[in-house]
Amino acid sequence: MIYQRVLIKNKHLKNNFSEWEKVKQGVPQGSILGPLFFLLYINDLPGIINDISKPTIFADDTNIIFTHPNLIDFKEEINIVVEQISNWFKTNLLILNFNKTYYMHFTTKSKLAVAMQISHKVNPINNTSSTNFLSLTLNSTLSRKTHINQLSSKLNSACHVIRSLKSVISTKKLENSLLSLCAFPHKVRCNFLS
């Protein structure tokens, strides 16, 4: 039997512990083998849906890509896959969280997005206009604009921190810090050396 407890470390006071509790199911969060067990647990999920879709799994993030020129057949295939995934979840004693499940319809800039209603039983699957995929923000037209705007905002915040530090550390260290932070230096306006 496996037991676990929570430890809260405090430099100035004594450490605090919760009571030991039995782990009745699952794997303790933060365990070394947890990610491996998770990957083994979901290993067969792509195989049940890859005949009509392209599943992409990275750690616990699952994306399913569909392509079809006919909108009616496209929607039918989505419903089939959602049903297969839902059945897989039931078989494996899991619950699909529809609050974290959404879809995005990719189109060209010249084409208008078609309004689609996708749901499973009574659970609607909401549409989104952008999503994060392996740290890259994608929007429905595959434009880089959303990603660059988010990145610029983060980099401008970093510039503010560096600007605040210019009286404390050398100019050379500030330049090196900025260059290490800027993946797109030409998009960032950060005048802290003047």
Side-chain angles (χ1 to χ4, degrees), residues 147-159 187-188:
H147 182 74
I148 289 172
N149 288 342
Q150 288 178 347
L151 188 60
S152 292
S153 175
K154 288 178 185 177
L155 292 173
N156 285 333
S157 297
C159 285
K187 291 285 182 187
V188 179

Side-chain angles (χ1 to χ4, degrees), residues 112-174:
L112 294 175
V114 178
M116 284 194 301
Q117 302 286 318
I118 298 176
S119 61
H120 178 66
K121 297 185 179 171
V122 297
N123 300 300
I125 299 174
N126 295 317
N127 186 14
T128 185
S129 59
S130 67
T131 186
N132 285 328
F133 182 71
L134 301 177
S135 298
L136 179 67
T137 303
L138 300 174
N139 66 17
S140 59
T141 61
L142 294 176
S143 163
R144 294 186 211 131
K145 187 174 184 177
T146 307
H147 182 74
I148 289 172
N149 288 342
Q150 288 178 347
L151 188 60
S152 292
S153 175
K154 288 178 185 177
L155 292 173
N156 285 333
S157 297
C159 285
H160 175 73
V161 170
I162 290 173
R163 202 176 305 117
S164 301
L165 292 173
K166 78 177 188 180
S167 62
V168 181
I169 62 177
S170 72
T171 302
K172 187 66 178 165
K173 287 182 181 176
L174 282 173

Side-chain angles (χ1 to χ4, degrees), residues 31-181:
S31 69
I32 293 170
L33 291 175
L36 176 63
F37 287 151
F38 176 78
L39 292 174
L40 291 172
Y41 194 74
I42 65 162
N43 188 43
D44 63 333
L45 175 61
I48 66 163
I49 58 173
N50 67 2
D51 54 334
I52 57 175
S53 64
K54 295 170 184 71
T56 304
I57 297 176
F58 182 77
D60 64 344
D61 195 13
T62 303
N63 296 281
I64 302 166
I65 301 167
F66 295 91
T67 56
H68 207 291
N70 182 312
L71 191 60
I72 295 168
D73 293 340
F74 178 70
K75 191 172 176 182
E76 284 178 20
E77 287 183 3
I78 290 173
N79 288 328
I80 290 168
V81 168
V82 170
E83 182 65 32
Q84 289 173 330
I85 289 172
S86 187
N87 290 337
W88 182 90
F89 268 71
K90 281 184 207 168
T91 301
N92 289 282
L93 306 174
L94 297 170
I95 298 170
L96 182 59
N97 185 347
F98 284 95
N99 293 327
K100 293 183 176 182
T101 303
Y102 53 90
Y103 76 93
M104 185 164 59
H105 185 189
F106 293 102
T107 62
T108 61
K109 290 180 184 177
S110 61
K111 275 189 162 181
L112 294 175
V114 178
M116 284 194 301
Q117 302 286 318
I118 298 176
S119 61
H120 178 66
K121 297 185 179 171
V122 297
N123 300 300
I125 299 174
N126 295 317
N127 186 14
T128 185
S129 59
S130 67
T131 186
N132 285 328
F133 182 71
L134 301 177
S135 298
L136 179 67
T137 303
L138 300 174
N139 66 17
S140 59
T141 61
L142 294 176
S143 163
R144 294 186 211 131
K145 187 174 184 177
T146 307
H147 182 74
I148 289 172
N149 288 342
Q150 288 178 347
L151 188 60
S152 292
S153 175
K154 288 178 185 177
L155 292 173
N156 285 333
S157 297
C159 285
H160 175 73
V161 170
I162 290 173
R163 202 176 305 117
S164 301
L165 292 173
K166 78 177 188 180
S167 62
V168 181
I169 62 177
S170 72
T171 302
K172 187 66 178 165
K173 287 182 181 176
L174 282 173
E175 286 175 354
N176 289 337
S177 299
L178 180 62
L179 291 174
S180 69
L181 290 171

Side-chain angles (χ1 to χ4, degrees), residues 1-18:
M1 184 58 61
I2 296 176
Y3 291 83
Q4 71 178 12
R5 68 178 177 177
V6 176
L7 160 66
I8 300 173
K9 290 187 176 187
N10 188 327
K11 285 189 228 179
H12 308 292
L13 302 172
K14 67 177 191 163
N15 294 336
N16 293 310
F17 300 93
S18 68

